[in-house]
Amino acid sequence: MDILHRVGIENSAPEKVYDALTTVEGLAGWWTDDVTGDPDVGGVLEFRFPPGGFDMKVLDRRPGERVTWEVVAGPAEWVGTTVDWQLRRDGDYTVVLFEHQGWAEPVEFMHHCSTKWATYLMSLKQLVETGEGAPSPKDVHIAYPD
């Protein structure tokens, strides 16, 4: 099972979106402001949120084209899944095709994560288009029972 999203980012080159996905500063600008680690291939990025976090191993980076991570630590449902970002130019837009691949089953947590990924993709769009995103803890909050 996979989570799939598509977003168009206006008036931006794929390289600008790529930078927001491949630098600690870029990631902290749209996803969570608590990011540490090594964003190079083979490195591990550590993302922390108020309720917890996860670590992503960088599997692939192709400037302006693709970024792929593997979840190596975090919630059981996430470990072993991959997060893939494909980028392409389409007129005045950079199109981002997002996939969180390899969920074992469509548990309620997957539905929650799909909604959260969508809000963070809007934050990425906002960051690249305006210079300011809405990373955690300034993100849109949605209820999820513990």
Side-chain angles (χ1 to χ4, degrees):
M1 309 284 323
D2 302 337
I3 294 172
L4 307 172
H5 291 292
R6 178 192 181 278
V7 66
I9 301 177
E10 194 170 11
N11 297 320
S12 69
E15 291 75 17
K16 190 171 180 184
V17 179
Y18 177 83
D19 288 344
L21 297 171
T22 58
T23 64
V24 169
E25 298 78 16
L27 292 161
W30 66 268
W31 196 10
T32 178
D33 61 10
D34 189 356
V35 180
T36 58
D38 179 0
D40 293 325
V41 172
V44 174
L45 290 162
E46 299 162 351
F47 300 93
R48 297 297 177 261
F49 297 81
F54 31 81
D55 299 349
M56 306 274 195
K57 181 177 182 181
V58 181
L59 299 181
D60 192 12
R61 283 177 43 150
R62 288 183 235 157
E65 292 179 20
R66 175 175 239 141
V67 176
T68 307
W69 303 323
E70 177 187 5
V71 183
V72 295
E77 297 91 345
W78 279 46
V79 174
T81 63
T82 57
V83 177
D84 187 66
W85 313 82
Q86 294 179 53
L87 311 174
R88 68 176 163 80
R89 187 81 171 160
D90 188 357
D92 292 336
Y93 290 83
T94 292
V95 173
V96 179
L97 295 178
F98 169 89
E99 297 183 41
H100 187 169
Q101 307 163 320
W103 288 75
E105 55 185 329
V107 294
E108 187 174 341
F109 186 49
M110 182 180 179
H111 294 262
H112 168 81
C113 292
S114 180
T115 302
K116 286 304 295 184
W117 273 125
T119 66
Y120 286 123
L121 283 165
M122 292 295 96
S123 177
L124 171 64
K125 174 182 172 66
Q126 183 181 330
L127 173 68
V128 175
E129 289 179 351
T130 72
E132 186 172 346
S136 178
K138 299 175 286 195
D139 58 316
V140 174
H141 293 273
I142 59 174
Y144 185 77
D146 293 327

